[in-house]
Amino acid sequence: MSWSGVRSGLDLLRRLPRVSLANLRPNPGAKKKEKRRGRGIHGGKKSGRGHKGQTQRGNRPRLGFEGGQTPFYIVIPKYGYNKGHSNRRQYQPLSLNRLQYLIDLGRVDPCEPIDLTQLVNARGVTIQPLKRDYGIQLVEEGADNFAAKINIEVQWASELSIAAIERNGGTIITGFYDPRSLDVLCKPVPFFLRGQPIPKRMLPPEELVPYYMDAQNRGYLADPAKVQKERLILAKKYGYILPDISKDVMYSMLTMRKDPLQIFFGLAPGWVVNLPEKKILKPSDEELCRYYRDEL
């Protein structure tokens, strides 16, 4: 651009008015003048409040008052299935159809173990620990069309969804995460930027221990030998041949598991991940190491 063009552009900017709060105006017709209500005896009738009564005088009853009759919330009894509803755990559903869709798009890498971090980053599910979300449940919708070989960790899974994954040579495990660990797992980058050590995962509450120790549910606290037997039983039940994953080239990936106290794959509790410097700091104090190994 020539110097004359630059000068003409600068002159134009000098002549144009500057945008400020003093000269900002809404578009014509964008704002409608508010209707001015009457002022009672001073040039109006009822000021838009009607004739007499509580509504006009401004002494309306409280919310839930029904004029003296027994209100709705007292008439209806307390049913048993509503007991403890505010503390009930919720698991966001993830169908096999949706999981296959994420794999086909390349959002989820089937060559790596899949946990909540991958699924949340791929926008497959939305987990809100503050709203009593405790993870995801894998549902069987799309079981006939699922064809990926994966190693996935979920919090709840149906029998048919387990069979659909193991039929293709994959593995599945169900694991429990307490709310703090779940928040760290779903949002790892903000947690690492705070410079805090990775916490250890808490064990499940007493009522969930039988579920996660059951080999039929592929619980992370179950005996591996019993899990292998249940894999064979499930294959006979649904009539498919169970692939031998010991001869698979991805055997190390398919058998990768987390420790019951571990949150991330490859990162132990107590480690500090320094993202700006790309370093991992490990505790050296023996008592601290024993705490994170749960030996105290």
Side-chain angles (χ1 to χ4, degrees):
M1 182 181 292
S2 62
W3 175 244
S4 60
V6 174
R7 291 187 60 183
S8 62
L10 291 175
D11 293 339
L12 179 63
L13 287 176
R14 292 190 186 99
R15 291 195 303 269
L16 290 175
R18 296 292 181 179
V19 177
S20 65
L21 293 176
N23 56 20
L24 282 178
R25 296 288 185 274
N27 294 330
K31 288 191 65 177
K32 185 178 179 182
K33 190 174 181 181
E34 186 179 358
K35 182 178 179 181
R36 187 176 182 274
R37 299 289 180 182
R39 298 296 183 269
I41 61 175
H42 305 288
K45 290 190 176 181
K46 301 297 180 183
S47 306
R49 298 177 71 106
H51 286 269
K52 306 181 188 177
Q54 294 176 323
T55 306
Q56 188 197 45
R57 298 188 176 98
N59 55 351
R60 292 182 180 182
R62 58 173 174 79
L63 187 65
F65 185 71
E66 299 182 11
Q69 71 177 12
T70 307
F72 173 81
Y73 63 88
I74 294 181
V75 169
I76 303 301
K78 297 180 181 179
Y79 290 100
Y81 54 79
N82 287 330
K83 184 179 180 181
H85 69 281
S86 59
N87 298 322
R88 195 171 298 163
R89 301 178 188 88
Q90 298 181 1
Y91 299 91
Q92 296 299 324
L94 175 66
S95 65
L96 291 172
N97 200 12
R98 174 71 172 171
L99 183 58
Q100 184 67 54
Y101 173 76
L102 296 174
I103 293 173
D104 293 341
L105 286 182
R107 294 186 185 179
V108 174
D109 186 7
C111 298
E112 296 292 335
I114 301 172
D115 60 356
L116 267 177
T117 304
Q118 277 205 43
L119 295 173
V120 172
N121 288 341
R123 297 180 182 179
V125 290
T126 301
I127 304 298
Q128 297 176 309
L130 295 179
K131 294 187 177 180
R132 305 191 313 276
D133 285 350
Y134 276 76
I136 61 174
Q137 56 175 338
L138 195 63
V139 296
E140 60 271 9
E141 181 184 354
D144 296 334
N145 302 324
F146 189 75
K149 184 194 299 182
I150 58 173
N151 176 13
I152 187 171
E153 180 194 51
V154 294
Q155 284 61 60
W156 211 271
S158 63
E159 185 183 69
L160 187 55
S161 61
I162 294 174
I165 289 179
E166 294 180 349
R167 179 187 59 195
N168 298 324
T171 55
I172 181 173
I173 190 170
T174 55
F176 173 80
Y177 288 92
D178 57 281
R180 186 192 179 194
S181 302
L182 195 69
D183 185 57
V184 172
L185 187 64
C186 294
K187 301 176 182 178
V189 174
F191 174 77
F192 292 152
L193 290 176
R194 290 197 293 266
Q196 298 178 357
I198 300 174
K200 57 182 180 181
R201 179 165 41 151
M202 299 290 105
L203 293 174
E206 185 178 355
E207 62 269 18
L208 291 180
V209 170
Y211 179 85
Y212 290 110
M213 291 189 68
D214 193 352
Q216 292 183 356
N217 303 323
R218 307 299 187 266
Y220 74 121
L221 301 176
D223 186 4
K226 294 182 179 179
V227 171
Q228 185 60 30
K229 292 180 181 179
E230 291 296 334
R231 284 167 56 90
L232 295 172
I233 294 173
L234 194 63
K236 292 179 180 178
K237 179 178 179 180
Y238 286 95
Y240 60 87
I241 299 175
L242 185 66
D244 188 5
I245 63 174
S246 61
K247 299 179 181 179
D248 199 301
V249 294
M250 303 172 64
Y251 175 74
S252 59
M253 186 277 294
L254 292 174
T255 56
M256 192 178 296
R257 294 287 182 270
K258 294 180 184 178
D259 187 79
L261 302 178
Q262 193 176 359
I263 297 178
F264 299 103
F265 283 107
L267 297 175
W271 293 6
V272 178
V273 179
N274 189 345
L275 285 183
E277 299 181 6
K278 298 182 180 180
K279 293 182 179 179
I280 295 179
L281 307 177
K282 302 179 182 180
S284 57
D285 184 68
E286 185 59 32
E287 187 174 355
L288 197 60
C289 293
R290 289 177 57 198
Y291 166 76
Y292 282 110
R293 290 197 300 264
D294 207 20
E295 295 179 357
L296 290 179

